[in-house]
Amino acid sequence: MDTPPPPPPPTQSPPPVNWDALDALVLDFARSDRLLLPPASPSPPSSPSSSSTTTATSSSSSTPSPSSSYRSRLLIRHARTALEEGDVDAALALLRAHAPAALLDHRLLFHLHKQRFVELVRRGTEADREAALDCLRTALAPCALDAYPEAYEEFKHILLVLIYDKDDQSSPVANEWSIKKRFELAGLLSSILRAHLQAYDPILSMTLRYLISIHKLLCSRQGISSPISDLTERLLFDDRDPPAVPQECSLEAPPFDEVDVQALAHAVELTRQGAVDSLKFAKGDLFQAFKNELCRMKLDLPLLDKLIHEYCIYRGIVEGGSHVLSGLESNNQSNDVNFVDKQEGSTETRIDFEMTNNQNGNCSTSDTSHHDSWSRRLRRVRSSASGQRRRKRWRGRVDDLDYGCETPLDANKHAILCSALDMDEDDMIVKPDLMADTGLPDSRSNQDQKYEVILEMRDLTRKGMASKVVEEINNMDPDFFLKNPILLFQLKQVEFLKLVASGDHGAALKVASTHLGPLAASNQALLKPLKETLVTLIQPCEDVLTKSVSLPILASSLQIAMSRRLGIEEPQLMKIIRTTLHTHSEWFKLQMCKDRFEHFLKIDSLKEVDPSLGSHNMSKVLTDECANGSSQITTCSSGKVPDEGSSPQESSEVTCDENAILKVMEFLALPRADAIQLLMQYGGNAEAVIQQIFS
C-alpha cells in the first residue's frame, strides 16, 4: 500500500505592498527627470495615490536641489554620449564649461587625452594626424608625468597606434583601437562625475537596481526560475560602469570598519578589495559608496520610462493614454511555485485568485446587460469629464538643456526642443479634445473612460464610502461581487464599522445580518473576521474604522479586480516590485540580519502597509483566513531556510557572534549565509572553521 504523501509545508503570505509609497517614489522619479508637464491650472486636488508624496519626496538637506541634480545628470548623459561616439573634444568642452573641477583629476584627464589622440589618428586625414601629434606634445605627454605611476609607460605604449593599423587584430595596440574603449571611458567618466557633482539617480531607480540584483542573485544561488526574468533581464544589464579609482592621496586612508566593508561588498556584489576601494573613494562614507556602486549598474532608461508611464496611468497619477504599451508583455506571467508573483498578504491574494477565471474568458461578452450597464456608466463619466479634476500630464524624456558651448545642438533639434518646452499646456490639451469631437471611433478615449470609472470607485473606497461603491458597482455589473465575495465582505465590513462609530448599532446589525452573516456562512474563512468585527459593538470608539481596516489596501484590491474585469492588466512595474520585495525578504532571512540599506532606499516603506493603523489584527485575520483555499504557493526559499539553518528559530539555538561571522566572511571570502552555516557546524568557533578549511 502506498504511503500517503507528506503534507505540504505551510504557505507563507508575503506582506502586502504599500502602493502609496510606490506612488510617491514614482512621482519623485517623474518629477526629478522632468517627465511631467507643469500643471495647467493652479493646484488641483491631488489624487489619493499621490497624497503621500510630500514626505517621501523630501530629501535630506545635504543633497543638491532637484533642478541642479537634473542639470548635472543631463551633463553626464551628454558627455557620455559624446565619448561613446568618439567625440572627445565635445566631452572636454562640456567639462570645461560645466564641471571644470573634474578635470583636476589627472588620472581622468590623462585617459581623456589618450582617447582623444586615438580618435584623431583613427580619422586618418593629414590634418587630424597633425592634430594628434600636437595632442601628444601639448596635452598627453605633460599629463602622463603626474597622472599616476604607470601613466608614462602607457603613454609610450599608445604611441604604437601611429604605426599599427586599426584593423590589425594581432597588433599590440588592438585593445587601444577597440571601440569598446570608448564605452569604458564613458562609463568611468560617468562614475567620477556622478560622485563629483552629487548627481545621483532618483531613489526609485536605485531601489530597482538593488531589488533586481538581489532577486537575480537569489535565483542563481537557489536554482530558481524567475517569473519576471523577461523584464528584469531587459531592464537591468549585467555589465556595469568601471569604478572610480580613489586619488593617490586617499590610498593611505585609515582602516574601515569590517562591518561596513562586508555590508557594501555583499550588497552590490563586490570583492572585499573592491569594497575597500569604493569606501576610499567615498572617504569612508558607506552610503555614499553604496550610491556610487548602485549607479554603476546600467538600466534600460527608455524601458523604465515606459514602465513608469504605464504605472502612472493605472494609478491615476497622470492622465490616460493607450495603456497597453508595446514591448512590455512578459512571457512569464504564469504562476511559479517558487514565488508569490500574484499573491499578496492582503485581500489582494484572494482577489487575484478570484479574477483568474475572468481573464480566461469567464467575464465574457456574452452577458449583454453587463456590457450595457458598463457602457451607460462610461457615458456618464464621459459627459461629466469636463468637471473631473485634472491629473498630471505626461511629457516624456526630453534633453531640454543645451550644454553645447563649443558643440551646440543641431539647429533643427534645438528648434524641436524649444517648441516642445515653449508650448502652452492649453495648446497641448486641444489635440485630444479635437479628436473626441470628430466623432470617429477612439479606443484610447474609451480606455481612458474605463480608468475614470475604476479610479472613481477606488477613491470612494479610500474615503470609506463603501455603501455607495457597492451600489455603483452593482448597477454597472450585478455579477461582479458574485465573483468577488471577499471584496463585498470587506466593503460591508467598512459600512458596518462606520455605523458602529456613529452610534447607529441597529443599522450596523442589519448590515451584519443581511450581508456579512450570509457571506461568512458560505465561506468558513470569513467566520473569524466576522466575529472580530462584531466585537466592535461592545467597544465602540470614534476611530474604530481606521484602527480595524486598511482602506488603502481595500481600495487597491478593488482597483485590481475591476481592472481585470474590464480587461486591463496590472502594470508590469507592480509585478516587479511585488516579486522582488518578496525575494528581498527571503534573502535577508538567509543572511540572518537586517538590511542596512532598506531605509535609505525606502524598501521599508514599500513593505509597511498603512502605518497609520493602530492595529493590523483585523487585516491579518482576513489575510490569513482568505489565503486558505486560494492559490497555494510555497516559496522555494522559505522551504530551504530551515534546511540551511538560517531560520530565526534555529539561529536562537546556536548563537553566532557577529565578529566571528565577519572573520569567516573576510578570511574565506564567503557570503554571510555560508559563513553562518559553517559556524553553526563548528559551534560558533571561527578559528575552528578557518583551521578546518585550510587543513
Side-chain angles (χ1 to χ4, degrees), residues 72 164 167 230-231 240 281 320 331 371 403 414 517 600 684 686:
S72 297
Y164 285 100
D167 298 321
D230 178 64
L231 278 170
R240 305 183 185 187
F281 182 75
N331 295 323
H371 279 275
Y403 283 116
H414 189 275
F600 168 72

Side-chain angles (χ1 to χ4, degrees), residues 85-99:
E85 294 173 352
D87 194 349
V88 184
D89 286 326
L92 284 168
L94 288 169
L95 295 179
R96 292 189 187 105
H98 302 283

Side-chain angles (χ1 to χ4, degrees), residues 303-330:
L303 175 58
L304 179 57
D305 287 349
K306 288 181 180 180
L307 293 172
I308 296 295
H309 188 200
E310 180 191 36
Y311 179 86
C312 285
I313 294 173
Y314 186 90
R315 293 287 293 172
I317 296 173
V318 302
E319 291 192 351
S322 177
H323 175 65
V324 181
L325 300 174
S326 61
L328 291 181
E329 290 78 15
S330 172

Side-chain angles (χ1 to χ4, degrees), residues 217 221 258 261-267 269-273 587 590-591 658 660-682 685-686 688-694:
L217 184 59
R221 295 203 55 190
E258 190 62 29
V261 174
Q262 294 295 338
L264 181 62
H266 292 284
E269 297 181 78
L270 295 176
T271 63
R272 184 182 183 281
Q273 186 57 50
W587 176 251
L590 292 175
Q591 307 307 309
E658 186 66 22
I661 296 173
L662 293 173
K663 189 172 185 178
V664 173
M665 290 173 69
E666 179 182 357
F667 275 86
L668 303 182
L670 288 176
R672 183 181 177 89
D674 293 346
I676 291 174
Q677 186 177 7
L678 283 172
L679 283 168
M680 293 178 72
Q681 293 175 12
Y682 289 89
N685 190 323
V689 171
I690 296 171
Q691 183 178 3
Q692 179 64 28
I693 294 297
F694 285 105

Side-chain angles (χ1 to χ4, degrees), residues 126-148:
E126 190 63 30
D128 287 321
R129 180 174 284 274
E130 288 298 322
L133 293 173
D134 183 65
C135 174
L136 280 176
R137 289 189 296 267
T138 62
L140 192 55
C143 193
L145 296 176
D146 58 359
Y148 50 93

